[in-house]
């Protein structure tokens, strides 16, 4: 069983090395060609990983293309919105449109059953801030703190939200 999984993983691992090396060398066309070629023969189970590689590669050198790719991908699979938005939000100096896309995705993620709301509000606050929406940033950070306190009182999101999380959220003001 382990051997079979390793066989299935081998092409993805090889692709990851090729892409990582190409991106490190700033050879983005080689990275993107490798990704596009791999989409044909990579196990379908790993398609999300391959698409994430493509997005992160674009994000390194062509932010408008990364954003266009993310928007199309989000239309076909809204579950990628929070992950893509997290990657956008962690980068500085992107165009306002990128952070606004992250704000929209995080806002929609709040309605997803089981989503860790304090965490999403915290990311929303940072996305709003980077998009230039200071009021939205403050309101979302306040919601992050409020929902984190409620979660700790109810025992929700254990292992993710705790007293230290609340402290970190308060200090981020």
């Amino acid at each position: 069983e382990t051997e079979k999984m390793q066989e299935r993983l081998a092409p993805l691992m090889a692709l990851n090395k090729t892409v990582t090396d190409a991106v490190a060398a700033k050879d983005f066309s080689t990275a993107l060609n490798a990704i596009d070629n791999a989409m044909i023969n990579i196990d379908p189970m790993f398609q999300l990983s391959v698409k994430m590689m493509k997005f992160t590669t674009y994000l390194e050198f062509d932010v408008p293309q990364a954003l266009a790719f993310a928007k199309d991908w989000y239309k076909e699979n809204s579950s990628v919105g929070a992950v893509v938005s997290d990657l956008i939000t962690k980068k500085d100096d992107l165009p306002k449109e990128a952070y606004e896309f992250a704000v929209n995705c995080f806002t929609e993620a709040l309605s997803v059953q089981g989503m860790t709301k304090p965490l999403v509000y915290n990311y929303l606050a940072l996305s709003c801030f980077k998009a230039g929406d200071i009021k939205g940033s403050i309101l979302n950070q306040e919601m992050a703190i409020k929902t984190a306190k409620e979660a700790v009182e109810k025992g929700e999101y254990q292992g993710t939200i705790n007293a230290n999380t609340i402290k970190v959220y308060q200090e981020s003001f």
Side-chain angles (χ1 to χ4, degrees):
E1 191 67 28
T2 305
E3 232 175 83
K4 268 189 178 177
M5 184 50 90
Q6 286 178 339
E7 276 180 39
R8 291 172 75 185
L9 259 173
L12 180 66
M13 300 309 288
L15 173 64
N16 189 46
K17 180 171 179 9
T18 299
V19 171
T20 301
D21 291 350
V23 169
K26 305 241 183 271
D27 185 358
F28 301 110
S29 63
T30 295
L32 291 170
N33 278 335
I35 291 167
D36 288 341
N37 290 333
M39 291 297 272
I40 298 161
N41 57 16
I42 289 276
D43 188 308
M45 182 168 104
F46 304 121
Q47 291 292 324
L48 281 175
S49 297
V50 176
K51 286 186 175 185
M52 190 59 69
M53 265 187 235
K54 189 168 189 169
F55 171 72
T56 56
T57 299
Y58 278 135
L59 201 55
E60 287 299 314
F61 80 103
D62 189 344
V63 175
Q65 185 61 42
L67 201 50
F69 180 81
K71 286 178 180 180
D72 288 344
W73 190 18
Y74 182 67
K75 282 178 195 165
E76 74 182 47
N77 182 356
S78 64
S79 68
V80 301
V83 177
V84 166
S85 296
D86 176 47
L87 292 169
I88 289 170
T89 302
K90 286 180 178 172
K91 285 190 89 53
D92 292 327
D93 303 319
L94 295 178
K96 183 178 180 179
E97 181 187 5
Y99 300 118
E100 288 171 342
F101 174 72
V103 167
N104 290 336
C105 290
F106 283 136
T107 301
E108 289 182 23
L110 286 170
S111 65
V112 174
Q113 185 70 25
M115 189 61 70
T116 309
K117 287 186 179 8
L119 191 62
V120 176
Y121 279 119
N122 186 57
Y123 283 128
L124 249 172
L126 183 56
S127 298
C128 286
F129 180 79
K130 288 186 174 186
D133 178 6
I134 305 305
K135 182 179 178 188
S137 179
I138 292 168
L139 291 172
N140 281 295
Q141 197 61 43
E142 288 173 345
M143 285 301 294
I145 294 165
K146 178 180 184 257
T147 57
K149 285 179 179 178
E150 291 169 357
V152 168
E153 285 172 16
K154 294 177 186 173
E156 294 177 323
Y157 314 122
Q158 291 183 5
T160 305
I161 304 297
N162 53 46
N164 188 57
T165 308
I166 296 167
K167 183 180 175 203
V168 169
Y169 288 176
Q170 289 169 329
E171 289 174 354
S172 71
F173 262 123

